C-alpha cells in the first residue's frame, strides 16, 4: 500500500519476520529494524513524514511499507475553486435535507 504524507499508520501485527528483516528496497532493512527497536509498540500511531513507492519515513527513519497498516488517511483542505479544478467542472454546494 502506498501511504501519503500526513497519514496515520501503526505497525501491522500480521507482518512476518521476513517483512521486518529482508532488505526489500535498497537500505530500508537497517532503518526498519532501528525503527522497530526504538518504537516497536504495536498500539502507537505514527504520522508519515515522507512517502515513496515501497517505503516511508517515520521518526526520521526509512521504513518498509509492508510492516505498516493504515489507521487514518490524511484529510486535505480544499477551496471550492480547487475542488472544481480537480473535478474539471463547476459545482454548487447545497444544504443537506
Amino acid at each position: 500500500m502506498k501511504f501519503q504524507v500526513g497519514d496515520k499508520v501503526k505497525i501491522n501485527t500480521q507482518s512476518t519476520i521476513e517483512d521486518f528483516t529482508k532488505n526489500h528496497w535498497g537500505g530500508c532493512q537497517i532503518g526498519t529494524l532501528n525503527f522497530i527497536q526504538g518504537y516497536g509498540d504495536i498500539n502507537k500511531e505514527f504520522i508519515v513524514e515522507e512517502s515513496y513507492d515501497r517505503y516511508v519515513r517515520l521518526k526520521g527513519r526509512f521504513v518498509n511499507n509492508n510492516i505498516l497498516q493504515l489507521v487514518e488517511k490524511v484529510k486535505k483542505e480544499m477551496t471550492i475553486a480547487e475542488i472544481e479544478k480537480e473535478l474539471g467542472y463547476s459545482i454548487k454546494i447545497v444544504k443537506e435535507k
Side-chain angles (χ1 to χ4, degrees):
M1 167 181 254
K2 183 157 168 58
F3 300 104
Q4 294 179 315
V5 173
D7 284 351
K8 285 185 186 177
V9 296
K10 67 180 187 175
I11 296 169
N12 183 352
T13 58
Q14 302 299 312
S15 296
T16 67
I17 192 69
E18 181 180 315
D19 293 329
F20 290 101
T21 59
K22 188 170 181 184
N23 192 15
H24 291 283
W25 302 289
C28 284
Q29 177 187 31
I30 297 300
T32 300
L33 293 174
N34 287 338
F35 176 79
I36 294 302
Q37 183 179 16
Y39 304 100
D41 181 350
I42 61 172
N43 297 310
K44 188 165 174 78
E45 296 178 356
F46 305 94
I47 303 294
V48 174
E49 299 165 356
E50 288 182 56
S51 179
Y52 302 93
D53 285 337
R54 296 183 173 136
Y55 57 92
V56 297
R57 185 168 60 101
L58 304 173
K59 297 289 189 179
R61 293 176 174 86
F62 290 103
V63 178
N64 291 331
N65 281 356
N66 58 343
I67 71 157
L68 303 172
Q69 69 183 46
L70 182 66
V71 174
E72 182 180 328
K73 290 296 280 176
V74 65
K75 291 179 177 64
K76 184 176 180 182
E77 291 185 10
M78 298 176 78
T79 65
I80 292 174
E82 291 170 329
I83 295 169
E84 289 176 342
K85 184 176 179 183
E86 284 286 321
L87 294 173
Y89 53 85
S90 297
I91 62 169
K92 177 181 176 183
I93 307 294
V94 297
K95 187 175 181 177
E96 292 184 37
K97 295 179 181 180

